Amino acid sequence: MTTAHINRIATAVPDHDIHRAFIDFADSMIPDGPPRNLFRRMARLSAIEHRYSFLEPIANGDGEWKDSEGIYERGSFPPTARRMECFERFAPQLARRALDKLDLSQEERRGITHVLVTSCTGLYAPGLDFDVVKHLGLDTSVERTMIGFMGCYAAINALKTAHHIVRSVENANVLILSLELCTLHMQETENLEQLLSFLLFADGCAAYLVSARPLGLAIDSFEAVT
């Protein structure tokens, strides 16, 4: 049976480290007393040092934080449409950063036969898969597949799909892009559990090339995830 290999991986995050700013912002939404003290303790013990976002945190004169896009204003958090506008604007930027770091040669770009994109934090049409094809100048005949709304395990399903493609299509070269803008989905809440969950997620992207050739960073097989 044909074995699929990960030939190359590249990752990218936005420029803005928002971890400290988020802790201060979330802290301000929690009533003073035991819940706020518990949030501070959990944030301190989380061992998280950095989380990145397309949103630039800006401190105002009152010691409170806002974001550069004015999305998260206390008392008027945005509707879904506004969040998706931001996804359409910023997701391609982050995707391009990861794809450029993948450093594909012109020959490798010409050889790509399939593009898989995973995301559960946003969508638009025409989608991110079109932007990938356009940015890399891929042949418009490449087969595109969107894997959406599967959460953290979407990349595993993308790898499983790439494995099936590689073992069933001769000379297949599968480009996968996994991208999430988690900071788009923060809610205005005093609920401690929700705020702690927001503490875990941020924005990031990974691009990887899968084929039957054991080149570059090669993982023996995907049998374990099939």
Side-chain angles (χ1 to χ4, degrees):
M1 180 181 296
T2 301
T3 299
H5 299 264
I6 299 177
N7 300 134
R8 198 173 308 157
I9 299 174
T11 61
V13 295
D15 293 327
H16 310 299
D17 188 340
I18 50 90
H19 186 58
R20 183 69 256 172
F22 171 78
I23 290 175
D24 293 344
F25 187 80
D27 187 275
S28 71
M29 293 194 289
I30 303 173
D32 198 10
R36 181 179 290 183
N37 293 335
L38 180 57
F39 176 81
R40 291 173 177 174
R41 175 176 172 79
M42 295 295 288
R44 186 174 66 254
L45 296 177
S46 68
I48 299 171
E49 297 181 357
H50 304 284
R51 292 184 303 120
Y52 294 89
S53 174
F54 71 93
L55 295 171
E56 180 182 5
I58 300 173
N60 62 23
D62 299 324
E64 295 184 354
W65 292 91
K66 293 187 175 182
D67 65 83
S68 55
E69 296 296 315
I71 295 176
Y72 294 121
E73 297 281 352
R74 293 291 297 273
S76 60
F77 272 34
T80 300
R82 172 72 170 121
R83 297 170 196 258
M84 292 303 96
E85 288 173 1
C86 290
F87 186 89
E88 184 174 0
R89 176 180 170 190
F90 290 102
Q93 296 178 21
L94 184 56
R96 290 193 291 269
R97 182 173 294 192
L99 291 168
D100 289 344
K101 290 175 67 177
L102 202 59
D103 195 26
L104 296 171
S105 68
Q106 288 299 320
E107 181 179 358
E108 287 173 318
R109 298 183 189 199
R110 286 193 294 269
I112 291 175
T113 57
H114 298 73
V115 171
L116 309 180
V117 175
T118 75
S119 183
C120 69
T121 52
L123 76 165
Y124 56 94
L128 192 54
D129 52 332
F130 278 91
D131 288 321
V132 171
V133 171
K134 181 178 179 181
H135 178 66
L136 294 178
L138 305 182
D139 193 305
T140 55
S141 66
V142 298
E143 296 187 28
R144 297 172 289 101
T145 301
M146 291 288 298
I147 301 176
F149 306 105
M150 287 189 168
C152 298
Y153 71 101
I156 300 301
N157 280 312
L159 288 171
K160 289 169 62 177
T161 302
H163 176 217
H164 294 316
I165 292 171
V166 167
R167 71 180 185 179
S168 61
V169 179
E170 187 177 3
N171 297 321
N173 293 280
V174 185
L175 175 65
I176 307 175
L177 183 84
S178 296
L179 184 148
E180 303 293 354
L181 299 185
C182 296
T183 52
L184 271 179
H185 294 280
M186 188 169 67
Q187 303 296 317
E188 188 168 17
T189 179
E190 298 178 355
N191 184 279
L192 181 61
E193 291 185 1
Q194 289 189 35
L195 289 171
L196 287 172
S197 71
F198 299 149
L199 184 70
L200 300 177
F201 298 97
D203 303 343
C205 181
Y208 28 118
L209 186 64
V210 178
S211 77
R213 297 184 305 279
L215 302 175
L217 176 61
I219 294 179
D220 288 342
S221 75
F222 295 157
E223 295 297 331
V225 298
T226 57

